[in-house]
Amino acid sequence: MKKDLFAIVVIVALVALVASGTKVQSVDDYYLTHIDDITEDSQTVTISIRCDTILDNLDKLDDSLKSDKYVPADGVILPTFRAVLRKGDTVYDIFSRVTRYSKIVTDCVYTVNYSSVYVKGINHLYEFSCGELSGWMYRVNGVFPGYGCSKYVLKGGDVIEWVYTCDLGRDVGGEFGTAPSVENDRVQQKTDTYTFFYDKIAVVSPPKAAWQRCV
Amino acid sequence: MNEKRYFLRIHPLPAFVFFVAALTVTMLSMHPVVLVASFVCAVVFCGFLYGVKKTASSLAYTFPLMVLVVLVNMAFVHRGETYLFFLNDNPVTQEALLYGVAMSVMFAAIYYWCKCMTAVMTTDKWIFLFGKILPKFSMLLALSVAFVPKFKRRYKQIDSAQRTLGVYSGQGVVDKLRYKFRVFGILVTDVLENSVTTADSMRARGFGLAGRSTYSPCDFTAADGLLTAFCLAFSVLGTTMFALGGCRIAYYPTVTPPTFAAKDIVCLTAACAVFVMPIICEIKDDLLWHSLKSKI
């Protein structure tokens, strides 16, 4: 019977551990966020999210997404937004802060293979939603970096653009593999601190975008 | 198992074609009507084959698994636009819930069709169907199909042997569990070794050699031909209609309400015809048996 008691204690401890790592929020609580005010001496970056390429490939788009709600008529999901840059912010930090503030839905997964966050979907537009070569890419100051968005540390004045590609990046001018591979100083070296508790368990073989699989 | 059942007596070919058709049509569409029809028919057919009591008790452990599928889908899939709440900064959506329900019904339906298939497609039937064309494959299939009942039988034997040896300890849940693991370990080793022996023995007897003939107790009757044609026709009709856009339903980002246009109705009818077929056969067979009996 001693063993039984011990087993119960272990199970309770495990449940408590899982529960302590779980944060449940109502929808209103989640969107109750504050964004830093822009002051005179604060460094800023700008971010925009666009999906123009879908407008040229509407025939490939999933039927369930053919609506102004998901693909705006002008292709702009987030007009250029100026946000305060905190020290050490990566593209993903700014991206998640701004989308949460603007109530734009995103679906990101921590990908163990690349030790970075991969953006699967923005505003219900997912990878593969518009043909099998489609997905989200980002560029900073007009250059596609070719590595994960939570590894790219920003400097003041950087211009981040998230664009949707329907053709492995060719239609937005950044075919994968042709990107000037790495300016190493911009890659965050330390172990990534973003913890997606559930996704880490779920991602056994992390989902890859079409352009990642082609390499 | 009820040995008198009609489906246990028919030729292996129509039985095989039927199960392939039923499984294909079930996996084809996420249309709720198709899934529910498939699930209900599979359970009823299972009731005919295994008896009502056994089927009802198996539902008792299928339902918790279905709930688990729903919960896992809600925890890991963040698609959909109706948010219920946020879990670790990820949305838990109503669409993921509904998709999870549909998926769990599909899983359960497939589970019950496979359960029926185990009862109907006994190993001799697999060997009869594929022994000539794919001797190795049919042998592997026959061995693996035979595994589950063999596992059960051997488990009981090992269990009683271990008990008589005095290994069993009945104090506390942990000890009982450890004992069960011990028996399970022995079981796996035993069955694996057994299957290797079986394969060697089959080879030694010349299984799969060219020019060997096998005795087959199966006659292909007109009724068997009719059943085969029926299953093929309706599953192909259903699949074609699905390919043409019938019975389509999108769950993300919003659930589109299921449509009932001409295409959908043809697709639904074809699917339901396949699912209901074995039940009608069994009922017809029962009626025939009762009418014959009363005449004696």
Side-chain angles (χ1 to χ4, degrees), chain B residues 26-176:
Chain B
T26 306
M27 283 187 274
L28 210 60
S29 170
M30 286 296 266
H31 198 285
V33 178
V34 174
L35 295 179
V36 169
S38 176
F39 176 67
V40 171
C41 291
V43 171
V44 171
F45 188 34
C46 211
F48 274 113
L49 293 173
Y50 285 90
V52 177
K53 237 187 190 172
K54 261 193 170 176
T55 310
S57 69
S58 81
L59 278 173
Y61 60 80
T62 316
F63 274 125
L65 282 179
M66 288 167 77
V67 173
L68 186 73
V69 169
V70 177
L71 290 180
V72 166
N73 195 60
M74 285 171 76
F76 291 117
V77 178
H78 314 303
R79 308 183 77 153
E81 60 169 27
T82 320
Y83 298 155
L84 301 176
F85 57 91
F86 278 78
L87 192 69
N88 281 5
D89 291 340
N90 280 319
V92 173
T93 65
Q94 192 187 318
E95 284 78 11
L97 171 81
L98 293 172
Y99 187 84
V101 170
M103 200 161 62
S104 70
V105 173
M106 183 195 270
F107 282 168
I110 287 170
Y111 167 73
Y112 277 101
W113 283 127
C114 288
K115 204 173 157 79
C116 297
M117 187 155 80
T118 332
V120 173
M121 296 296 289
T122 45
T123 49
D124 54 321
K125 290 182 186 169
W126 283 113
I127 299 262
F128 169 78
L129 275 180
F130 295 107
K132 277 262 171 65
I133 336 163
L134 305 159
K136 277 191 185 145
F137 168 76
S138 69
M139 169 89 147
L140 198 69
L141 203 65
L143 282 176
S144 38
V145 166
F147 256 139
V148 177
K150 193 192 255 171
F151 254 65
K152 274 191 190 158
R153 219 167 36 240
R154 290 298 283 167
Y155 184 87
K156 274 187 194 144
Q157 289 171 353
I158 296 167
D159 186 50
S160 35
Q162 291 285 310
R163 273 168 205 262
T164 42
L165 284 172
V167 184
Y168 179 73
S169 149
Q171 283 181 335
V173 185
V174 176
D175 279 344
K176 270 186 193 165

Side-chain angles (χ1 to χ4, degrees), chain A residues 3-4 7 21-25 27 30-31 64-65 69-70 105 107 124 126 197-198 202, chain B residues 76 78-81 83-90 172-175 178 250 252-254:
Chain A
K3 284 181 195 162
D4 278 9
T22 311
K23 185 174 67 177
V24 179
Q25 282 174 301
V27 179
Y30 178 78
Y31 282 123
S64 55
L65 292 168
K69 212 160 47 165
Y70 310 119
V105 191
D107 193 347
H124 302 295
Y126 276 73
F197 186 75
Y198 290 100
Chain B
F76 291 117
H78 314 303
R79 308 183 77 153
E81 60 169 27
Y83 298 155
L84 301 176
F85 57 91
F86 278 78
L87 192 69
N88 281 5
D89 291 340
N90 280 319
V173 185
V174 176
D175 279 344
R178 284 181 65 182
Y252 305 121
T254 41

Side-chain angles (χ1 to χ4, degrees), chain A:
Chain A
M1 293 317 270
K2 259 187 195 167
K3 284 181 195 162
D4 278 9
L5 281 177
F6 182 67
I8 289 171
V9 170
V10 170
I11 291 170
V12 169
L14 279 176
V15 170
L17 189 72
V18 171
S20 70
T22 311
K23 185 174 67 177
V24 179
Q25 282 174 301
S26 76
V27 179
D28 293 337
D29 281 350
Y30 178 78
Y31 282 123
L32 207 65
T33 52
H34 171 75
I35 202 152
D36 302 359
D37 295 321
I38 299 175
T39 55
E40 293 246 333
D41 54 342
S42 56
Q43 287 200 310
T44 59
V45 292
T46 62
I47 179 168
S48 63
I49 303 171
R50 306 179 63 99
C51 61
D52 312 63
T53 53
I54 293 182
L55 300 171
D56 306 327
N57 294 284
L58 279 174
D59 50 321
K60 285 195 230 155
L61 186 67
D62 285 354
D63 286 338
S64 55
L65 292 168
K66 282 178 181 157
S67 151
D68 267 4
K69 212 160 47 165
Y70 310 119
V71 185
D74 55 355
V76 180
I77 289 171
L78 176 75
T80 307
F81 187 102
R82 208 155 150 244
V84 173
L85 183 74
R86 297 181 196 162
K87 201 168 182 295
D89 266 352
T90 62
V91 171
Y92 177 71
D93 292 316
I94 297 288
F95 171 75
S96 63
R97 214 180 293 146
V98 170
T99 49
R100 188 164 166 177
Y101 176 77
S102 321
K103 296 195 181 180
I104 294 170
V105 191
T106 62
D107 193 347
C108 311
V109 174
Y110 182 84
T111 309
V112 182
N113 279 7
Y114 299 97
S115 59
S116 171
V117 172
Y118 171 60
V119 176
K120 277 200 292 187
I122 303 173
N123 197 32
H124 302 295
L125 300 170
Y126 276 73
E127 50 174 342
F128 316 131
S129 282
C130 189
E132 57 207 12
L133 303 177
S134 61
W136 285 101
M137 295 177 84
Y138 75 98
R139 59 184 166 214
V140 179
N141 302 329
V143 178
F144 289 94
Y147 48 87
C149 63
S150 63
K151 284 184 145 186
Y152 195 112
V153 182
L154 291 164
K155 284 193 296 220
D158 277 349
V159 178
I160 313 161
E161 291 163 282
W162 281 90
V163 287
Y164 196 84
T165 173
C166 299
D167 190 20
L168 270 180
R170 282 185 280 265
D171 52 355
V172 288
E175 190 180 351
F176 188 80
T178 62
S181 180
V182 181
E183 312 139 51
N184 264 320
D185 56 321
R186 302 294 285 273
V187 182
Q188 194 175 29
Q189 291 300 334
K190 68 176 162 87
T191 333
D192 218 291
T193 46
Y194 306 105
T195 44
F196 288 83
F197 186 75
Y198 290 100
D199 285 329
K200 260 191 175 165
I201 300 172
V203 177
V204 179
S205 63
K208 289 175 188 168
W211 58 87
Q212 288 171 327
R213 275 188 303 181
C214 284
V215 189

